[in-house]
Amino acid sequence: MNRRVMPMYALADCNNFYASCERVFDPSLEGRPVVVLSNNDGCVIARSQEAKDLGVRMGEPIFKCRQRMKNDSLVIRSSNYTLYDDMSRRVVESIRAFIPDIEVYSIDEVFLNLEPLAGRDVDLICRRARRAVLQWTGIPISIGIGTTKTLAKLANRIAKKDPSAQGVHRLPTLESERIGPLAETAVEDVWGIGRRWAKRLHEIGIRSALDLAQAPPVEIRRGFNVVAMRTALELRGTPCQEVEDVEAVRKTLVRSRSFGSMITEWTDMSEAIASHATRAAEKLRSEGGHAGRISVFLRTNRFREDLPQYGRSGSRELQPATNTTPVIIAQALDLGRRLWRPGYHYKKAGVVLCELEFDDVQGSLFDQRDHERDTRLMTTLDRINRRMGAETVHPAAIGFKKRRRWSMRQSFRSPRYTTRWTDIPRTGP
DNA sequence: TCTGGGGTCCTAGGACCC
DNA sequence: TCTGGGGTCCTAGGACCC
């Protein structure tokens, strides 16, 4: 008989990832409440277990935790993505040694396809992988197992919450045996159900994951959309999403920042836009892509209700598609100039590159630029900045002031332990 | 004083064409 | 002067994720 094997998915998720990374390189943080802040040191984006226990909330603005910082010696770190990216890569490679068919879903999550391991003890393999990751990288992870991605996510929550799971939890294959755990999971804790949908689901009497699983799919589709319906189906055990083992080709590339302080002058704004354009172009070149369209946006501070609000975006075609910094800066500045209105306090701006192409780009007959020269220039520029440090060579449009009004605050950053020679940890004097 | 940044997918509605 | 349906393409906005 040729029976199809039961699909089986797992989600491996790093515990308190950024806080754990900070801890790996500074063991004195062990046992202490640690939080990691967003860019600009604005709000909390990661918390160690101790910080969670203190009641520090995700996304909480840091100025609201000042008291706790004093009382409970809360440790604060600015985010250090260079470090986290590198640690993430190490975690992924460690997992891959045990389970080869994986999809890197985010900086701290990996979906695993366990179907090829059918007949083997998947729980045991996952436990071994977990132990190895901790041993090789110092990062604790949890693994949830289920017959769909959404159920694997749910199992992962249980693996994290229930100490008896010891970091790995598998939901039963039989639907009837999943009733308990699904009934105990609030619908807002289901992957794919955000705040807005949760509120509307509650209004129609759907409160738990079980309620959603048992709701008629067509009704969910009618009341919400196909994405919500797929989530409901996955909760019943019907897979609607596969493990995507080939890396997805990106469709857009954004560089944007809130300013360290608000901006009222076009010269400051133009420097910020030129800087975003430069960094977006750099990133695009590093991935070997070209952009066929560029969009720029700027806006005021939406939290300052006492100030007049303004926000706009504009876009235009790039013909031919390009990744040349001066071209992208020129277009970005021209767009920005059109959006700019004096008299406002601006808080944020950004550059979006879209219609990305990763194949060879056809030149236009009517295009006057010397593309080979552009490419040589950009390659040289990238090489210098990679070796000598970012922005060793940079376009004049970004400005030369040491302390730029628009650049971000980062008061608590840890060293780049793994990616910068001078920051490598040393032992002894 | 102080509130992140970078993504994807889906849908509705308008423009335009036949 | 009034009136149709159907298709495609594009964009803006809304929802979600980490």
Side-chain angles (χ1 to χ4, degrees), chain A residues 217-235:
Chain A
V218 280
E219 254 172 55
I220 300 300
R221 152 113 224 211
R222 201 163 44 225
F224 299 84
N225 64 16
V226 295
V227 180
M229 185 186 74
R230 279 184 211 136
T231 296
L233 286 171
E234 289 226 326
L235 284 174

Side-chain angles (χ1 to χ4, degrees), chain A residues 178-189:
Chain A
R178 289 196 299 260
I179 287 177
L182 261 65
E184 284 163 31
T185 305
V187 75
E188 55 267 33
D189 293 330

Side-chain angles (χ1 to χ4, degrees), chain A residues 251-281:
Chain A
K251 296 179 173 143
T252 61
L253 196 164
V254 180
R255 283 297 175 268
S256 73
R257 281 279 183 283
S258 296
F259 306 130
S261 54
M262 289 193 284
I263 278 177
T264 54
E265 303 296 324
W266 166 249
T267 47
D268 287 327
M269 178 62 85
S270 71
E271 287 182 11
I273 291 174
S275 163
H276 296 324
T278 302
R279 293 192 313 115

Side-chain angles (χ1 to χ4, degrees), chain A residues 11-15 91 94-99 112 122-145 156 159-160 162-169:
Chain A
L11 176 73
D13 187 331
C14 301
N15 301 350
V91 168
S94 305
I95 293 173
R96 215 193 291 271
F98 292 83
I99 298 138
L112 319 173
V122 292
D123 292 36
L124 184 66
I125 294 171
C126 288
R127 285 184 192 284
R128 283 184 181 149
R130 178 174 173 273
R131 204 158 49 234
V133 169
L134 183 61
Q135 200 175 337
W136 297 343
T137 70
I139 301 291
I141 68 172
S142 304
I143 302 179
I145 307 168
N156 191 284
K160 278 200 164 66
D162 180 0
S164 72
Q166 295 191 4
V168 179
H169 182 80

